[in-house]
Structures are given as structure tokens and as C-alpha cells.
Amino acid sequence: MKKFSVVMLLCLMIGLFNLTVLADSISVYTSLDEQLARVVFNEYTAETGVKIEWVRLSTGEAVSRMMAEKNNPQASIWVGGVGLGHIQAKDSGLTIPYVAENAQYVPDNFKDEDNYWMGIYAGPLCFVSNTQRLEELGLAAPTSWADLIKPEYEGYIQVANPGTSGTSYNVLATMVQLMGEEEGFEYMKKLDKNIVQYTRSGSKPGKNAAIGEVPIGIGYAHDQVKLKAQGYPLVITFPEEGGGYEVASISLIKNGKETELAKELYNWLLSKKAAEIYASFYVVPFRDVKLMDGAVPISEVNTIDQDDVWAGNNKERLVEKWNEEVYSQH
């Protein structure tokens, strides 16, 4: 009888231990750069002991995954990804509002007025060109949207698909806001003639330009600055007509299983410590921290008067139109 009681006690202790482990872990979807995500989440675990189970998805994939899991969410927080996707998630009823203590450090124009999403850093769109490939081809690095549709760049440009990539949707929304919808789509058709391939991820064109697989890519400046700092032969240029920009954001997922723990992570992601980690990857956080050499604040380049709410509300319609009028002809 005594032996049986000891066994039962051990089983109860093991059960309690497992419950503790389960209670101290959070399931996360992230659209941060994979290496950045790993450093950020490892630091949080080291500080708090809370384990983070994370899956890396592009912005479009993250929204699609949350929509598919709307009645049974498999994650509690979405970290990173273009703000337009977070607006779409809010409008689709996939996220919940939260006022974190550290939200006070985020400027009002980089957070949702209803507190559904919060920006953590911003970065402008740019062109990134492999200098060795340009020299071989006798081409100059493009410095305008008008340059990109010139015949000499045919087959030499790579950009992501706006259906899966928030970066690429930012390009599409930028052209519509710059030129108007009709002219903007005519531009996208001309650009399509020079696109060698549409990638799934918005950071992929820059990586492919770095290794010379393509001469020119379109992406966000911080991804390219990091590659250039690693020694790749790249030149970064910005569209003289003005470009869009990313507000990388965070949102709590509606009916997530670890909402209270996710709120603590959400607040930490807005802390100075987290901002210092972001900055070490060449992005420009909203907290006042030391930036890496070469990091490009959006205040230092020509950006459009970007309307993220309009772009978020029109994403599904514009992407469908792009698929019908542009991608189907590629």
C-alpha cells in the first residue's frame, strides 16, 4: 500500500511538472527575419524562463494561417510582418486590442488607434543591385520607378508576389497611391515584363541579388544593409519619386491559448532591450537606441504619404486584381 502511494505521488508530481512546462510556453507566428527572430526569442526565454515555440511565415502566409485557424487558433501572438497585414488581420476579426505599458514609446502614427497592432520598427522600400552583375551587363543601378520599366532591365529584376509578401504588396499599394489605380496597374504590367521571377518571401530578392543570382531586387532597406555589411557586392538605391515603407508590427491573436503570457511578451517586444536587438540587425526601432552604421531611417529618404489603413482595407481587392491583370499574363 505504501509503495502504491509513493508511485501515485510521483505520478502527481510529474503531472504538475508537465502542466507547469505547458503553462510557461507560448506559441508564436513571426514574420521577422529568421535570424532576428531566433535572437529575440532566445533572449526573452533567457530573461523569463518562458519557452517560445515559433513558426516563421511571410506576412501573407501569417494572415492566411490565422484565417484558416480562426475557430481554433494555434498561436497566441503574431510578431513582425508588414503593418498592412496587421490591419487586414484586425479588419478580419483575427486579433484583439491590448494597451501595453511600453506602447507609450511608440509614436501615434505607427500604432493602431484602437490598439489592435503596434509598430516596433520602420524601414523604407529600396532597390538593391549586385555591382558585379551590373558591370557585366553594362547597366547602371536604377534610381527611380521609371528606370525599372526600361527595356534594358528586362529579365533582370526580382520581386516577391504581393499575394504572399507584405513587402511586395507595399510596392503595389505604393504605385496605386503614387499614380492612381488605373495608371498604377498599367505600371505594374510594364514592370512585369522586366520581372524574371516572383518569390514567396519579400526578403528573398535581396538575398538572390547578394549572391548574383539576379542583378536587381526590390525589398526593404534594412535587409539589404545587413547583406552589404556582410560583404556582398551590393549598391542600395531609393526611388526618386518616393517609396512606401514597412511598419513592422505585433498583434495578439484572438482566442489564443496563452493570451496572458503573450501580453507579457508583447510588452517586452516594445522594451528598450528588444529595440537594441532589432537595431543590431540594421532596422530602425521606434525606441531611442544606437543604430548600426548604414541603417536608414525613413526620415532620410523620400517616402510617399502612405495611407496604411486604405492599403489594408483594399488589400484583398488589389491583390485579386493584380493576379487577374498582371500575374496571369506573366
Side-chain angles (χ1 to χ4, degrees), residues 15-199:
L16 289 172
F17 174 76
N18 285 336
L19 284 174
T20 301
V21 170
L22 289 173
D24 288 345
S25 65
I26 312 173
S27 297
V28 175
Y29 290 150
T30 183
S31 302
L32 293 174
D33 170 87
E34 189 166 339
Q35 189 179 0
L36 172 57
R38 183 171 294 107
V39 174
V40 167
F41 297 144
N42 285 348
E43 178 62 28
Y44 186 73
T45 298
E47 282 192 20
T48 66
V50 176
K51 186 178 180 182
I52 296 180
E53 304 285 352
W54 57 279
V55 176
R56 205 280 174 184
L57 301 165
S58 69
T59 298
E61 290 173 329
V63 174
S64 296
R65 179 78 69 95
M66 288 188 288
M67 284 182 173
E69 298 172 350
K70 189 171 185 177
N71 295 322
N72 185 25
Q74 298 300 301
S76 297
I77 183 171
W78 177 25
V79 179
V82 181
L84 299 173
H86 287 262
I87 293 172
Q88 184 185 15
K90 171 193 174 186
D91 293 343
S92 301
L94 303 174
T95 54
I96 58 173
Y98 177 56
V99 182
E101 181 181 353
N102 285 329
Q104 62 182 300
Y105 301 108
V106 181
D108 288 344
N109 53 327
F110 296 121
K111 59 186 175 186
D112 181 49
E113 61 182 6
D114 299 318
N115 299 300
Y116 275 78
W117 55 266
M118 199 69 54
I120 53 177
Y121 64 80
L125 286 171
C126 73
F127 311 139
V128 57
S129 305
N130 183 298
T131 54
Q132 295 174 353
R133 292 296 311 277
L134 289 181
E135 186 176 352
E136 291 170 4
L137 297 166
L139 294 173
T143 59
S144 67
W145 295 112
D147 281 347
L148 288 189
I149 59 174
K150 290 179 177 176
E152 54 261 41
Y153 293 108
E154 183 175 351
Y156 294 142
I157 301 172
Q158 195 173 71
V159 68
N161 185 312
T164 59
S165 162
T167 309
S168 187
Y169 177 66
N170 196 187
V171 174
L172 172 59
T174 292
M175 303 322 297
V176 172
Q177 289 177 86
L178 263 177
M179 302 177 176
E181 187 163 326
E182 184 176 350
E183 191 176 341
F185 266 84
E186 287 305 311
Y187 176 87
M188 296 304 290
K189 292 174 186 175
K190 293 176 183 175
L191 178 62
D192 176 69
K193 293 178 181 177
N194 288 355
I195 300 297
V196 62
Q197 181 189 19
Y198 292 100
T199 62

Side-chain angles (χ1 to χ4, degrees), residues 281-301:
F281 280 75
Y282 298 91
V283 305
V284 181
F286 297 122
R287 298 294 297 261
D288 185 18
V289 296
K290 186 177 186 304
L291 302 180
M292 297 291 286
D293 290 342
V296 184
I298 59 173
S299 59
E300 293 185 1
V301 299

Side-chain angles (χ1 to χ4, degrees), residues 26 28 41 44 52 77 261-269:
I26 312 173
V28 175
F41 297 144
Y44 186 73
I52 296 180
I77 183 171
L261 283 175
K263 286 179 179 177
E264 295 177 19
L265 171 60
Y266 187 107
N267 190 53
W268 186 87
L269 291 166

